[in-house]
Amino acid sequence: MACSLETKRRQLCTALTILCLTGCSIHRMALKSMGDALSRASDEYARDEDPELVKAAIPFSLKVMETILRDNPRDQTLLLNLTKGFTQYAFGFLLPDAEALDDKDKVAAKAIRDRAVRMFIRARGYGLRALEVKHPNFGSLLAADPKKAAASLTRADVPAAFWTGAAWGSAIATSRDFRMLPELPRMESLLERVLTLDDSYDAGAVHTLFITYEMVRLKPNGDRVALATKHFERALALTQGKQAGPYVTYAESVLTVEKNRAEFERMLHTALAIDPAKDPDDRLENVIMQRRARWLLGRVDQLFPKK
């Protein structure tokens, strides 16, 4: 009897152990499956035509991904999508909200900008973590020698490098905090490495970003307008003229500086003439950038005051 009871006790312990292990495995599989689904959701958001719907949905997705990341802290897909998600949310939704309030409530506008900066910095942190999965201590190496650290990146690192650099640059520009200026070489090195490795990534998004950056770079490598125009032309080639972003960015970043109102208006109307339905994968971006084009046209007298 004693032997039989002992045998049953061992069998019960074994069964419980297997159940626990199986339960943990199922838990991890469920989290992995959910994480993959949420990562794919960003592609679905990009195809949507309703910015307000996506604006309301993104925070929930980001928080769930952060929760899953706690159990999978080195999941590069989650880290990349958090970097991309927080950057896009801040740039596509928070900053326009702040600009819309600028003329009405500067205190409220500043509060939203401060929140956007926090989102950008959060994105940058996830991006550096994504890069450190394959490049240990990359953040420290980047701080010590930006160009050398960036040179260690490969083509496979381009998505994380681009979105980390985009988040970093946006944080610096939006914060208007001079204490962040020493970080510019790190951001710059990441984005220049993207240009070297794969300038066609995400339909040449890095070129659209450099349209703006060439106009404000502390140490220009030549004629600012000529460099920005070169990036604009490359962006148009890579997007085949189907995206409003390059037109809007060039109008806002270059033509306002050049004080060329006629070309500014022509460029924005070109952006508005694009049919978002013809590029479904980037429908949301086009809708958002066309919204910005209309906003800029509504401010044309302020941007180009009569003498």
Side-chain angles (χ1 to χ4, degrees), residues 32-303:
K32 175 65 175 173
S33 178
M34 187 181 294
D36 291 343
L38 286 169
S39 295
R40 291 193 299 272
S42 63
D43 294 331
E44 190 58 36
Y45 290 155
R47 299 185 186 99
D48 207 289
E49 63 182 3
D50 189 334
E52 297 308 317
L53 178 64
V54 175
K55 179 182 178 181
I58 286 178
F60 173 77
S61 296
L62 292 173
K63 283 308 300 177
V64 174
M65 281 195 284
E66 284 187 319
T67 301
I68 297 172
L69 186 68
R70 292 176 188 171
D71 287 332
N72 303 272
R74 292 174 60 81
D75 188 312
Q76 283 186 295
T77 301
L78 279 174
L79 289 166
L80 174 60
N81 278 284
L82 283 166
T83 306
K84 182 178 179 180
F86 276 110
T87 302
Q88 292 178 320
Y89 177 68
F91 184 82
F93 300 110
L94 295 184
L95 291 185
D97 284 351
E99 289 172 333
L101 284 171
D102 270 333
D103 296 332
K104 306 172 186 176
D105 189 338
K106 292 192 178 298
V107 173
K110 183 181 183 305
I112 296 175
R113 279 198 178 85
D114 289 345
R115 184 178 176 223
V117 171
R118 293 194 296 273
M119 297 296 104
F120 288 133
I121 291 175
R122 199 164 177 171
R124 178 192 66 185
Y126 286 127
L128 288 173
R129 283 175 59 182
L131 292 167
E132 287 181 343
V133 171
K134 289 196 302 182
H135 303 275
N137 302 314
F138 182 77
S140 298
L141 296 172
L142 187 66
D145 191 335
K147 290 190 178 298
K148 182 178 179 180
S152 70
L153 300 179
T154 67
R155 191 184 180 97
D157 299 311
V158 163
F162 171 74
W163 287 106
T164 305
W168 212 327
S170 298
I172 294 170
T174 306
S175 70
R176 303 170 186 174
D177 186 346
F178 290 112
R179 292 172 296 180
M180 294 188 73
L181 291 181
E183 299 176 14
L184 275 171
R186 298 175 228 175
M187 176 275 294
E188 187 176 288
S189 295
L190 286 176
L191 294 175
E192 288 185 336
R193 185 60 174 162
V194 171
L195 282 172
T196 300
L197 291 170
D198 184 8
D199 76 321
S200 66
Y201 169 71
D202 199 12
V206 69
H207 285 288
T208 301
L209 190 154
F210 264 92
I211 293 171
T212 298
Y213 188 56
E214 294 292 4
M215 297 301 293
V216 299
R217 194 194 286 252
L218 293 179
K219 296 180 180 179
N221 296 322
D223 181 87
R224 294 181 187 274
V225 173
L227 291 168
T229 301
K230 185 176 180 180
H231 286 294
F232 170 65
E233 291 169 349
R234 178 61 174 158
L236 287 188
L238 290 170
T239 60
Q240 300 179 339
K242 295 179 181 179
Q243 291 186 16
Y247 294 105
V248 177
T249 303
Y250 190 78
E252 185 172 9
S253 299
V254 179
L255 297 176
T256 53
V257 175
E258 290 287 277
K259 303 186 186 308
N260 190 337
R261 175 170 177 160
E263 186 65 8
F264 174 86
E265 292 180 340
R266 187 191 73 80
M267 197 72 68
L268 293 180
H269 284 297
T270 301
L272 290 171
I274 292 171
D275 182 359
K278 290 185 177 180
D279 188 12
D281 290 341
D282 293 301
R283 193 195 317 264
L284 180 66
E285 179 182 346
N286 273 329
V287 171
I288 288 174
M289 293 310 293
Q290 287 179 332
R291 177 185 287 184
R292 183 161 192 83
R294 294 186 188 93
W295 181 78
L296 287 167
L297 284 169
R299 297 173 61 86
V300 68
D301 289 333
Q302 294 172 253
L303 294 168

Side-chain angles (χ1 to χ4, degrees), residues 7-28:
T7 299
K8 289 183 178 180
R9 187 186 68 80
R10 289 178 180 175
Q11 290 174 340
L12 180 59
C13 288
T14 301
L16 288 172
T17 300
I18 292 173
L19 183 61
C20 288
L21 291 175
T22 303
C24 290
S25 177
I26 291 173
H27 176 68
R28 284 194 295 271

